[in-house]
C-alpha cells in the first residue's frame, strides 16, 4: 500500500531540505541506519558533491552494518570515507560508565571534523531525530560541545516520519530494524571487552540468520545471554528444535546461560536500572 505524505510531513521535509541547503556543505556521521541513510540521501540530493558520508569502523560496529553502508553509498554515488575509531582505546570507555556514549561520540565527531576540514566542508552533522530528545542520549552533549548539527531534529522529524519518507524515496532502510552499537548490550559498570563484543555480534548474526528481524543479545554477568526479539516473533522462537539449536550455538560461542526475555525487544532496556525521568 502506498503511503500518502500528509501536509505536515511535507512541510517537515521541505524544512529539512531548506536547512541543509543553507548549510552549504556537510560531513555526515553515517552508520547505515534508518536515520543517517535518509539524511545522507536527502543531503546528497540537495548538495551533491558537497556532501561526504563518514563511517567509523570499530569492534562495536558489526561488519554487516559496514557492508550495508558501503553498498548504499555506492548505489547513490556519494563520496564515502571510512575511518577507524576504536572506542575500547578511549580513556574511560571500556569501564562502561553511564555516560559511555559521550566518550565515543566525542572521539567520533573530532575525527569527522578533521575529515571535514581536510575537504573544505563547513559543517558536521549527525542523524539524531526529534524522538531522541525524549531518550537518554549522552552523545548529544558531545555533539553540542563540538558544534555538530542535527538536521533531522531541526526539521522536527520523528522516527516514524523518517521511515515514511524513506519508503517514498525508495530507500532500502525504510523498514530496517533499529540498531545501536554492540556496547549497548552490556550493563553499565561491567567492563567492555573485544571478546564480549565478538560473542554478542556472532550470536545476533546467528539469530538474524534464522530469520528473526528485531534482535538484541544482552550480555550479563557470568556469561549470561538475555535474548530480546520482537514480540511478533515470540511464537516462532518457541519451537523446541529451534531452542535447542540456539542453545547449542550460544554455548559454542562461550555463553554459559541462555535466556529469552519475556518482555521482548524494547529500545534502551539497559537504561531501566538508571531510573531516569526523561
Amino acid at each position: 500500500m502506498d503511503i500518502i505524505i500528509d501536509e505536515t510531513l511535507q512541510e517537515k521535509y521541505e524544512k529539512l531540505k531548506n536547512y541543509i541547503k543553507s548549510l552549504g556543505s556537510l560531513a555526515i556521521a553515517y552508520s547505515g541506519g534508518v536515520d543517517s541513510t535518509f539524511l545522507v540521501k536527502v543531503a546528497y540530493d540537495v548538495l551533491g558533491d558537497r556532501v561526504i558520508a563518514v563511517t567509523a569502523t570499530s569492534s562495536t560496529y558489526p561488519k554487516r552494518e559496514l557492508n550495508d553502508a558501503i553498498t548504499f553509498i555506492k548505489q547513490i554515488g556519494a563520496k564515502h570515507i571510512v575511518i577507524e575509531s576504536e572506542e575500547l582505546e578511549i580513556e574511560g570507555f571500556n569501564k562502561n560508565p553511564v555516560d559511555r556514549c559521550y566518550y565515543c561520540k566525542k572521539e567520533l565527531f573530532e575525527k569527522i571534523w578533521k575529515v571535514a576540514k581536510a575537504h573544505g566542508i563547513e559543517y558536521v552533522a549527525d542523524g539524531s531525530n526529534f524522538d531522541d530528545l525524549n531518550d537518554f542520549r549522552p552523545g548529544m552533549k558531545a555533539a553540542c560541545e563540538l558544534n555538530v548539527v542535527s538536521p533531522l531534529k531541526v526539521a522536527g522529524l520523528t522516527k516514524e516520519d523518517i521511515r515514511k519518507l524513506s519508503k517514498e524515496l525508495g530507500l532500502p532502510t525504510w523498514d530496517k530494524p533499529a540498531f545501536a552499537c554492540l556496547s549497548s548490550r552490556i550493563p553499565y559498570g561491567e567492563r567492555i571487552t573485544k571478546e564480549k563484543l565478538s560473542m554478542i555480534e556472532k550470536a545476533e548474526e546467528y539469530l538474524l540468520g534464522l530469520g528473526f528481524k528485531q534482535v538484541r543479545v544482552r550480555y550479563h554477568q557470568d556469561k549470561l545471554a538475555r535474548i530480546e526479539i520482537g514480540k511478533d516473533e515470540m511464537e516462532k522462537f518457541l519451537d523446541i528444535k529451534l531452542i535447542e539449536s540456539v542453545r547449542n550455538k550460544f554455548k559454542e560461542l562461550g555463553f554459559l546461560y541462555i535466556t529469552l526475555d519475556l518482555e521482548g525487544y524494547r529500545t534502551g532496556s539497559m537504561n531501566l536500572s538508571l531510573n531516569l525521568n526523561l
Side-chain angles (χ1 to χ4, degrees):
M1 180 183 294
D2 292 334
I3 295 177
I4 299 174
I5 299 177
D6 59 32
E7 184 176 348
T8 300
L9 185 53
Q10 185 66 44
E11 289 176 356
K12 291 181 182 181
Y13 185 44
E14 293 302 321
K15 183 176 181 179
L16 173 66
K17 291 190 291 183
N18 290 334
Y19 177 66
I20 289 173
K21 185 178 180 179
S22 73
L23 297 175
S25 58
L26 277 178
I28 299 172
Y30 173 58
S31 67
V34 177
D35 300 331
S36 62
T37 296
F38 172 71
L39 179 58
V40 166
K41 169 60 176 172
V42 176
Y44 183 64
D45 287 347
V46 173
L47 299 175
D49 60 8
R50 289 174 291 167
V51 169
I52 299 176
V54 184
T55 302
T57 64
S58 74
S59 54
T60 70
Y61 185 57
K63 293 182 179 62
R64 70 175 183 277
E65 295 293 323
L66 174 61
N67 293 335
D68 287 349
I70 291 173
T71 298
F72 176 75
I73 293 298
K74 285 183 178 178
Q75 289 176 346
I76 67 172
K79 186 174 182 60
H80 191 200
I81 294 178
V82 178
I83 60 176
E84 292 185 6
S85 178
E86 187 45 76
E87 292 93 339
L88 296 185
E89 297 176 1
I90 301 173
E91 181 68 28
F93 180 88
N94 63 5
K95 294 180 181 178
N96 203 6
V98 172
D99 60 348
R100 174 195 66 229
C101 292
Y102 168 79
Y103 299 100
C104 173
K105 294 297 186 183
K106 185 172 187 294
E107 188 206 40
L108 173 63
F109 294 142
E110 286 175 344
K111 289 186 174 181
I112 294 178
W113 265 117
K114 289 181 180 178
V115 171
K117 291 176 181 178
H119 290 80
I121 299 295
E122 296 180 72
Y123 291 92
V124 169
D126 71 0
S128 298
N129 65 57
F130 196 72
D131 290 333
D132 293 330
L133 294 172
N134 298 315
D135 197 2
F136 179 60
R137 302 275 178 171
M140 287 185 183
K141 179 182 176 183
C144 182
E145 290 177 354
L146 293 170
N147 298 314
V148 173
V149 297
S150 302
L152 303 179
K153 280 199 295 187
V154 171
L157 288 162
T158 65
K159 177 72 79 173
E160 183 180 358
D161 291 336
I162 293 163
R163 289 191 184 280
K164 287 182 178 180
L165 289 168
S166 293
K167 187 172 184 179
E168 286 293 315
L169 292 173
L171 302 183
T173 50
W174 75 270
D175 63 346
K176 184 175 182 177
F179 176 78
C181 87
L182 296 175
S183 297
S184 67
R185 317 297 198 261
I186 302 173
Y188 296 117
E190 183 169 333
R191 184 171 291 274
I192 301 169
T193 67
K194 286 187 177 181
E195 178 189 14
K196 293 175 183 177
L197 295 173
S198 178
M199 289 170 65
I200 293 166
E201 179 177 4
K202 291 174 182 177
E204 292 189 351
E205 283 288 344
Y206 183 72
L207 293 175
L208 291 169
L210 292 176
F212 292 101
K213 295 180 179 179
Q214 186 67 76
V215 168
R216 291 288 187 274
V217 175
R218 311 291 187 182
Y219 185 113
H220 292 269
Q221 285 186 336
D222 300 322
K223 297 184 177 181
L224 183 149
R226 175 168 60 88
I227 301 169
E228 293 180 10
I229 57 174
K231 292 181 180 179
D232 59 338
E233 299 180 288
M234 285 285 218
E235 187 174 353
K236 175 183 175 180
F237 195 95
L238 300 179
D239 174 88
I240 190 62
K241 290 184 178 179
L242 187 145
I243 289 173
E244 288 177 353
S245 68
V246 170
R247 179 197 65 202
N248 293 339
K249 181 62 177 181
F250 278 44
K251 292 276 188 178
E252 177 187 317
L253 293 175
F255 289 104
L256 296 180
Y257 308 99
I258 301 97
T259 66
L260 175 66
D261 191 318
L262 299 185
E263 287 196 67
Y265 165 77
R266 65 270 192 212
T267 184
S269 70
M270 288 302 198
N271 293 335
L272 294 176
S273 63
L274 300 180
N275 296 316
L276 295 170
N277 295 314
L278 298 174

